Amino acid sequence: QVQLMESGGGSVQAGGSLRLSCAVSTASYCMGWFRQAPGKEREGIATIDSRSITTITDSVRGRFTISKDNAKNTLYLQMNSLKPEDTATYYCAIARFWYRCPGEATHFGDWGQGTQVTVSS
């Protein structure tokens, strides 16, 4: 059974930073971060594939950075210049056998339980 464990969430003021980590129990070609705010649909934030090519959604571009440590099977999301609208539960997910990350979240087969990020103004 694949396990993903997020950490690093918390409460910060606007303009602050947080670094999320996701420890994964198995290697994966594609890894990604998603978030969901109350009353809103799940949103894809960033992905990183087997070649370390990344995608990032426009709403966080220039503020968030996705990275990974293959030796540790750990995924990271560095979040800077946080805004109140970044408040959400953040999830990591993997698409284990996708050499290039899929465009649809439904193709990510394994998910973490989420970590809460709250940004106050």
Side-chain angles (χ1 to χ4, degrees):
Q1 182 178 358
V2 178
Q3 294 183 333
L4 295 85
M5 181 65 69
E6 301 100 338
S7 61
S11 297
V12 296
Q13 290 190 332
S17 297
L18 286 173
R19 188 193 194 203
L20 304 184
S21 299
C22 175
V24 186
S25 62
T26 187
S28 174
Y29 285 138
C30 171
M31 308 171 81
W33 287 100
F34 299 79
R35 69 184 179 186
Q36 188 165 21
K40 295 188 177 181
E41 294 186 353
R42 182 176 56 193
E43 176 186 20
I45 299 299
T47 63
I48 184 165
D49 71 11
S50 58
R51 304 158 296 170
S52 293
I53 292 177
T54 63
T55 66
I56 192 107
T57 195
D58 288 344
S59 62
V60 304
R61 190 184 308 277
R63 301 188 296 121
F64 291 11
T65 303
I66 188 171
S67 62
K68 63 178 179 176
D69 184 330
N70 288 329
K72 297 180 179 179
N73 286 341
T74 301
L75 179 69
Y76 303 101
L77 185 68
Q78 178 66 43
M79 306 186 295
N80 299 328
S81 302
L82 283 161
K83 303 176 180 181
E85 51 263 44
D86 295 318
T87 295
T89 301
Y90 284 70
Y91 300 90
C92 63
I94 61 172
R96 292 178 63 190
F97 306 111
W98 287 71
Y99 189 71
R100 298 181 181 181
C101 287
E104 297 294 329
T106 53
H107 293 298
F108 286 76
D110 297 284
W111 293 76
Q113 293 188 335
T115 185
Q116 179 67 36
V117 171
T118 303
V119 184
S120 59
S121 58

